[in-house]
């Protein structure tokens, strides 16, 4: 699989919603249950409309798979994020609100991208959702539990 990662654009919201709805169909047979889940999801349309213009959300496409939405390939993962200023005693941190993927390669490369981007921009930390699916990758990157719902990864050699 050959992945292409780049900043997500507002024009891709419908494609992301289709990606997420396909994931919901895998989890929930009942359509009404899928609808209830989508209403409280972190990837709701209004959340995407808020995060994407900020320029800190990225997607991964498999260039070897065709997509009905894009010539760049099929979405296999993405994250929505935003910078946090003066949070938890740090000047700048990246808050990854939601990370979704359909392949482990996409998961790993998106986590690595968030880390490298934060280092490049001189952010002190990256915060990720603490989920069983993300934990193996984040633990290998030396992330620690910040609380029960969030994992934190230091991106500088600070003591705090």
């Amino acid at each position: 699989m050959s992945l292409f990662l780049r900043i997500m654009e507002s024009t891709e919201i419908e494609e992301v919603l289709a990606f997420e709805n396909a994931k919901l169909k895998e989890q929930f047979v009942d359509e009404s249950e899928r609808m209830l889940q989508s209403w409280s999801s972190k990837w709701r349309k209004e959340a995407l409309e808020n995060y994407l213009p900020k320029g800190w959300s990225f997607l991964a496409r498999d260039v070897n798979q065709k997509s009905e939405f894009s010539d760049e390939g099929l979405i296999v993962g993405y994250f929505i994020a935003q910078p946090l200023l003066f949070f938890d005693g740090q000047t700048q941190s990246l808050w990854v609100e939601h990370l979704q993927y359909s392949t482990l390669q996409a998961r790993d490369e998106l986590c690595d991208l968030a880390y490298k981007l934060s280092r490049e921009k001189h952010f002190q930390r990256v915060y990720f959702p603490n989920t069983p699916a993300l934990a193996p990758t984040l633990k290998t990157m030396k992330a620690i539990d910040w609380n029960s719902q969030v994992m934190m990864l230091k991106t500088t050699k600070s003591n705090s």
Side-chain angles (χ1 to χ4, degrees), residues 94-105:
L94 184 66
W95 183 269
V96 177
E97 179 68 20
H98 178 68
L99 192 150
Q100 183 64 273
Y101 56 91
S102 59
T103 69
L104 295 179
Q105 181 184 357

Side-chain angles (χ1 to χ4, degrees), residues 108-125:
D108 295 348
E109 288 194 30
L110 287 165
C111 288
D112 190 55
L113 173 65
Y115 172 75
K116 287 179 177 175
L117 178 67
S118 296
R119 285 188 56 89
E120 178 184 307
K121 300 298 181 184
H122 306 289
F123 285 20
Q124 289 84 36
R125 295 181 179 172

Side-chain angles (χ1 to χ4, degrees), residues 46-65:
E46 57 271 17
L48 294 170
E49 289 170 343
N50 173 62
Y51 280 100
L52 298 193
K54 294 176 180 4
W56 292 93
S57 300
F58 286 78
L59 57 77
R61 291 184 180 275
D62 181 350
V63 297
N64 297 325
Q65 293 189 50

